[in-house]
Every structure is written in C-alpha cells, then in structure tokens.
Amino acid sequence: MLLSAVFSTAPRWYAARWGKLLAGAGLLLGSLSAAAAPGPSPHPAAPPTARYWVRLRHKAGVQFSPAAYFSPAAQARRQRQHLPACDSTDFPVRPDFVRQITAVADSVTLVSRWFNAVACRATPGQAARLRRLPGVRSVEPWPVQTPVVASTKQANERGTMTISADDRQLARRQTASLGGAAFQQAGFRGQGLRIAIFDVGFLGAAQHPAFQRLLAEKRLVATHDFVRNRPNVFVSGTHGTEVLSCIAGLLPDGTPLGLAPQAEFLLARTERLNREIYAEEEAWLAAAEWADRNGADIINSSLGYTDRRYFPEQMNGRTSLVARAAELAVRKGILVVNAAGNDGEDPDWRTIGTPADADSVLAVGGLDPDTYLHIDFSSYGPSADRRVKPNVIAFGTVLAAAPGGYVRTQGTSFSSPLLAGFAACAWQQNRSLTVMQLFDQLQRCADLYPYFDYAHGYGLPQAAALLRPAAPAPRPRPSVDFVRQDTVLAVLIRPEAAVIPAQVLPLYSDSVTLVGGTRNTTVPAVGREELAPPLNKPGGNRPAQSQPPAEADPGLVPLVRPGYLYWHVADGRGVLRSYEVREVTQRAVLQIPLRTLRPGDTVRVCYRGLTQSYLVP
C-alpha cells in the first residue's frame, strides 16, 4: 500500500472491517455462481487456484560460497558490523525440494532463502499432495483477498518547472528542519552508503533533471521489477520517483531535496499501482533478499499493509510476512526505515501499518511544517504490544520531483526518505556503528528525547545533536516545577524559562483550567492531539510564533519548534495512558487531577528541549 496522503467504538470498527470482508466474499460468491452456471462448453471448469506458503524442513547437504554469492559491498557491511560471512538463512533452498513442488503446484511465485520456503499457486488437491512431499514441513494458505484500491492517489502526479518562492522555501525547510546544514558543513552527503528503495515504480526518474548527477556518476547500482521479474523499474507509478527525490533529488539551482544526494542506490519495484494483494508482501521479501545480496546499508520502504488483510491487534511485528522479513534484514546489518502510514484520520484504522510495526524497524511519522506538530493524516502508535511507534518524525509535506518538474505533495511516504537520508549521513560519520547502535542514535538525537508519545515518537532528529562531541554537556537547569496541591498536580514554568523573545510569560493569563475541563476530569485519552488552549492560527495555518517568518531569510532558515509543552502519563511498565501538547501562554500551564493518577505512574513534561519527570507515590 502506498503511503501518500490522504478511534472509534469497537462495534463501528468491526462493522466496517467485516463489511469489507463480506463485500469481498460477495464478489467471490458471485464469481463462483457465475462459474457454476451452465455454459456452452461440455468440459468442466478447472479447479480454482489459491496462494500457498510451503515451508520446508531443512537445507541439509546444500553447498554455499558467500564470497561468490554476496557482492563486495554486502561482504564489507557484514565485516564492519562483526557479523558472520553467512548463516543458514543465506543458504539456498534445496533444488530437489523446489523441483518437487514445481512438479505438483500450478505455479511457483517465490523461493525464499531467508524463510526456507516456497510461495506457489495451487488447487486444493495440489495443496494436499504438497503436504505429503517428504521435504515439506507445512503448507499454509494465504487468506482469500480481493484486490482493492490501496491509495487515495488515483493518478500519477505531474510536476512543473515553475517553482514558487514558497515551494523553494519548503524545499529548504524539509532538510533544514533536520539540521541538514550541519551535515553539509561536515561534508556528509551519504557518500559510500548504499540505499535500497522499495516502491510502486520510478516513472520518469531516468530522464528527470533532479537525478542528472546521480545518473551521470553511475550511482544507480542496480534495479529490478519484482512484480514482472525484469530489470526495468521506470514504469507504472511516479511515487518512487518522488520518494527517491526526497533522498537524492536536486532543484535546478542545486538545492537538495534530501540529505544524501551522494549515496548509491538500488531501486526495486515491489507493488502494483492502486492494488494491494498478498503477492506484494512476497515481492517485498524477494527485494529484501536482493538488497542484502547487493550490499544495501539502508532500505527505505514507503509502503504499508493494514486493514485490507490484517486487524490492528496483529500489528505486533511478528504476524505479517513483511514485518518478519524486515526483522531478518536488520539482523543482517541493514537499517530498515519505513513510513508509519496515513491512517491517522481513518475511523476504522488509526494505527501504524506493517512492516512499520516491527521492533527494529525505524517507523517515521509525519510532521506538519506549519505547526511543527503531528500532521493530521499520519498514523498513530503504539504497536499492538505497546511499543513506541512511530520512532521519529519528519516533514509530511514536501517538495518532490515528479515527471515534468517538481510537485508539492504530502504523506509519510516522504517523511521516511527524509529520515533515510539523515540515517545515511549519520552512518557515514561513524561506519563502525552496528545497525542497532545507529537505530538508538537516531532516536537519541531527536529533539524531544527522552520524552516520547504515540504521535511524534521521540521527535525530529537533529544533525547537530548527532555530531556533538562525546564529552558530557553541562547539565541544563530545570525549566518547570511540579507542585503537588490538595487535589491536583500543578506544572509551573520557572521564571528563567518563561522568557521568550519579545515577551515574558505571566504567571496567570485569566486562569488555568483542570485538564479535561470542569465536566470531564479524566486525563485525556491516548492519542489526543488537541492543543489546549487552541492555537491562534493567522490565516488558518500557522500558529503564533516568536521566530520571524520563513520569508525573512531566503537561505536555509534556522528552525525551532514553537513554544510547546509536551506531557504524558506513563504507567509502571512505561506504557502511555495519556499524552497531550499545549501551546504555552502562561507559566501556570497545567493542572492534573490527582484522582486520575495511579501509584507508580510517571508524569513527564518536555519544555524547551528538556524533559523532567514526576513519579506518583
């Protein structure tokens, strides 16, 4: 499912979910009825085929040479991360097992080394025969599923070479928001890193001026279309072209649209435009094995799979084929960066999709460039087993390359490649890091860390924080005080932290209200994203800010978040029971009713980059 833009009660969700399934079943029954109707042919119809996943027992006797199979880049990646040259998951599937399955099944669609499995199409009778083969451990059917539209984007986008001042400013801000200037000054632009991009297609990329330098320098290492099993990926959709530009694209004046324009690339087509079928998860797995063999350091996947085939409780990082494939890729030293999803406003599915749900996949949410808050359509965490998701965020509205020029577009599809480029520069700075050490650093350098919530993760990674010397920084002075009163826990901003450009916050402006108002005294539900009090948005878009407008500086604008206070309540296991963002207009910023807190809860507040905690006795 493409991730370009686009919590209700349980009965409503299940009605919607089962409505989709019943609609698919109706189509299936209709087709079966049509097949059962008498026709002019005297021959009976052939039995229908379905998809099956055939798991094999072992790889005994298989010969394997990692030096002959893996590219030099792949071998070097494993050596840098102190990984073995190969393990049993790298060995090929036994050819005799594959031949036996091919002889019985209708067709074989995938042979996976990593899972020692074969995907095939077969009739029920063929599936029964497959189960009796000596090398077969199990034969599992894929659930019946009807192809449906997978994205709100119905047509490929067309760009224009006319770039407005506002668009040019957005192009600068999408990298400046991550501290891109610090990477550029240090000479980090992704040199020596190899990034694989899995997408629907890269239509127009081979001719686009945004990629002239990439192509001229022959940094497009390999391409493969896993949908049609051919090398040409410059077909089908423009989504991959836009995603690639958010890592390596350039404007005509040389302004980068992403942070790693000097990286090398592997382009894989893994998805059919406007369709979402299980074959796409097979293609994702095949592409991951291909990327591993060809030396990818990073996989960017702006794809996700949700209610067309899964339930929210299955977003646990262990259920879907792509989540398990992504975890295996990480075990082999590859950082997997995946868009969180665009279901934040969907009443039937609000949470992250898969493979963003996998534990060691860096899930990237969307940030609104106007407010510097979670953008409405971006999917929320946590994972089904209550882990922090998304992990980090980046701009969800960007300027990107598209056939014909450039286009302003939105979606967590584009947040993800912005972070993939950031990760490439971070790894370039220290190539000795293991993949999970890098993963940890990407979270730690985010501007909210160690605070987190299920909308922003740990926040927006900052290059300056990553490049900062290892010497411990001076301990910052607290910015807030927790004051326990008779019935409430009050949070007051300290006078020295209340001074912001052009004004000093009063202790009170009118009055401070209880969280949730006078009628609702419960702590806000998990995922509440209202600002309290509401933002003053001149023109309907931008909050009142102390920083000058972006138009004041035509260059890379230094960007900081507005004066927001982030707070959450976590239980003893670290799982959030509530979180909220407030615009600070007075020093007495928050009152939490004590009856809503439980012993062992932790109240955390992040203000001006400093996180402070209060443990409820």
Side-chain angles (χ1 to χ4, degrees), residues 40-365:
S41 173
H43 302 291
T49 63
R51 290 187 175 274
Y52 291 91
W53 185 244
V54 183
R55 301 177 67 190
L56 302 174
R57 293 185 182 278
H58 57 77
K59 295 182 177 180
V62 172
Q63 300 297 314
F64 179 64
S65 170
Y69 177 76
F70 291 114
S71 71
Q75 296 174 56
R77 185 193 67 235
R78 295 190 179 212
Q79 291 170 1
R80 278 193 305 271
Q81 299 191 50
H82 310 291
L83 297 171
C86 64
D87 61 38
S88 62
T89 62
D90 300 312
F91 290 12
V93 176
R94 281 184 47 157
D96 57 328
F97 289 172
V98 176
R99 285 194 298 269
Q100 292 169 9
I101 294 169
T102 303
V104 172
D106 184 79
S107 61
V108 169
T109 56
L110 171 69
V111 178
S112 171
R113 293 179 177 229
W114 286 5
F115 289 97
N116 193 26
V118 174
C120 66
R121 296 194 68 90
T123 66
Q126 290 170 337
R129 290 170 59 195
L130 288 172
R131 290 186 177 94
R132 293 194 294 269
L133 292 177
V136 171
R137 185 167 71 176
S138 65
V139 178
E140 304 161 8
W142 287 115
V144 175
Q145 194 266 344
T146 304
V148 293
V149 173
S151 171
T152 57
K153 185 191 294 184
Q154 297 296 317
N156 290 327
E157 294 189 287
R158 294 289 302 178
T160 174
M161 293 303 294
T162 302
I163 304 172
S164 69
D166 191 46
D167 288 342
R168 197 175 301 275
Q169 189 62 231
L170 175 61
R172 291 169 175 147
R173 292 179 66 218
Q174 65 198 45
T175 56
S177 61
L178 295 162
F183 277 145
Q184 292 182 17
Q185 291 166 7
F188 300 138
R189 302 189 181 195
Q191 297 96 318
L193 273 291
R194 190 166 289 186
I195 303 173
I197 300 178
F198 299 174
D199 220 283
V200 71
F202 301 83
L203 190 65
Q207 299 81 33
H208 202 288
F211 309 115
Q212 281 183 351
R213 190 175 302 174
L214 185 156
L215 297 170
E217 295 173 0
K218 302 187 185 304
R219 287 184 284 105
L220 184 53
V221 177
T223 64
H224 195 81
D225 181 342
F226 289 90
V227 174
R228 297 190 175 180
N229 193 26
R230 62 185 186 181
N232 182 23
V233 298
F234 304 106
V235 295
S236 183
T238 63
H239 188 267
T241 304
E242 296 164 15
V243 167
L244 174 61
S245 73
C246 290
I247 303 176
L250 301 173
L251 291 182
D253 64 0
T255 299
L257 298 175
L259 290 171
Q262 292 296 312
E264 298 176 343
F265 291 90
L266 305 166
L267 304 184
R269 182 184 177 218
T270 62
E271 181 140 340
R272 292 169 172 83
L273 187 64
N274 291 335
R275 299 181 74 182
E276 184 181 338
I277 58 179
Y278 279 96
E280 292 166 351
E281 291 196 54
E282 294 177 19
W284 201 104
L285 168 58
E289 295 191 23
W290 170 81
D292 173 37
R293 181 181 186 180
N294 284 281
D297 297 293
I298 298 169
I299 290 173
N300 180 82
S301 168
S302 291
L303 307 167
Y305 307 98
T306 55
D307 66 341
R308 304 294 189 244
R309 59 188 78 163
Y310 296 112
F311 290 100
E313 58 266 28
Q314 293 176 300
M315 297 296 97
N316 55 21
R318 302 183 303 275
T319 299
S320 76
L321 177 66
V322 285
R324 288 178 283 134
E327 292 281 10
L328 260 175
V330 174
R331 280 175 48 190
K332 296 174 185 298
I334 302 172
L335 178 71
V336 180
V337 183
N338 208 97
N342 298 321
D343 296 308
E345 296 180 296
D346 186 343
D348 300 326
W349 186 292
R350 194 165 177 263
T351 189
I352 55 168
T354 190
D357 62 327
D359 182 46
S360 44
V361 168
L362 191 78
V364 186

Side-chain angles (χ1 to χ4, degrees), residues 304-518:
Y305 307 98
T306 55
D307 66 341
R308 304 294 189 244
R309 59 188 78 163
Y310 296 112
F311 290 100
E313 58 266 28
Q314 293 176 300
M315 297 296 97
N316 55 21
R318 302 183 303 275
T319 299
S320 76
L321 177 66
V322 285
R324 288 178 283 134
E327 292 281 10
L328 260 175
V330 174
R331 280 175 48 190
K332 296 174 185 298
I334 302 172
L335 178 71
V336 180
V337 183
N338 208 97
N342 298 321
D343 296 308
E345 296 180 296
D346 186 343
D348 300 326
W349 186 292
R350 194 165 177 263
T351 189
I352 55 168
T354 190
D357 62 327
D359 182 46
S360 44
V361 168
L362 191 78
V364 186
L367 186 71
D368 188 330
D370 291 328
T371 65
Y372 265 62
L373 293 171
H374 168 273
I375 200 164
D376 292 342
F377 58 74
S378 184
S379 295
Y380 294 86
S383 64
D385 51 350
R386 318 306 290 176
R387 286 176 285 105
V388 178
K389 294 287 176 179
N391 301 97
V392 289
I393 50 173
F395 273 20
T397 301
V398 301
L399 191 72
Y406 299 87
V407 64
R408 180 183 287 247
T409 188
Q410 62 179 9
T412 57
S413 279
F414 313 112
S415 310
S416 179
L418 288 175
L419 246 299
F422 184 98
C425 295
W427 223 344
Q428 182 185 355
Q429 184 223 6
N430 187 353
R431 293 291 269 149
S432 66
L433 292 175
T434 67
V435 63
M436 291 313 297
Q437 287 172 338
L438 175 66
F439 185 102
D440 185 57
Q441 284 201 8
L442 294 173
Q443 293 186 140
R444 286 177 174 271
C445 74
D447 62 353
L448 298 180
Y449 187 88
Y451 175 88
F452 67 90
D453 62 35
Y454 299 144
H456 306 90
Y458 290 105
L460 190 67
Q462 295 297 303
L466 194 75
L467 298 173
R468 192 175 295 139
R475 184 177 180 83
R477 299 183 63 182
S479 58
V480 302
D481 288 313
F482 295 97
V483 180
R484 188 182 179 104
Q485 300 172 347
D486 289 340
T487 59
V488 298
L489 177 67
V491 178
L492 305 178
I493 293 177
R494 290 192 168 195
E496 59 269 26
V499 179
I500 60 177
Q503 63 175 306
V504 176
L505 294 175
L507 176 60
Y508 286 92
S509 58
D510 296 333
S511 63
V512 58
T513 58
L514 287 173
V515 172
T518 56

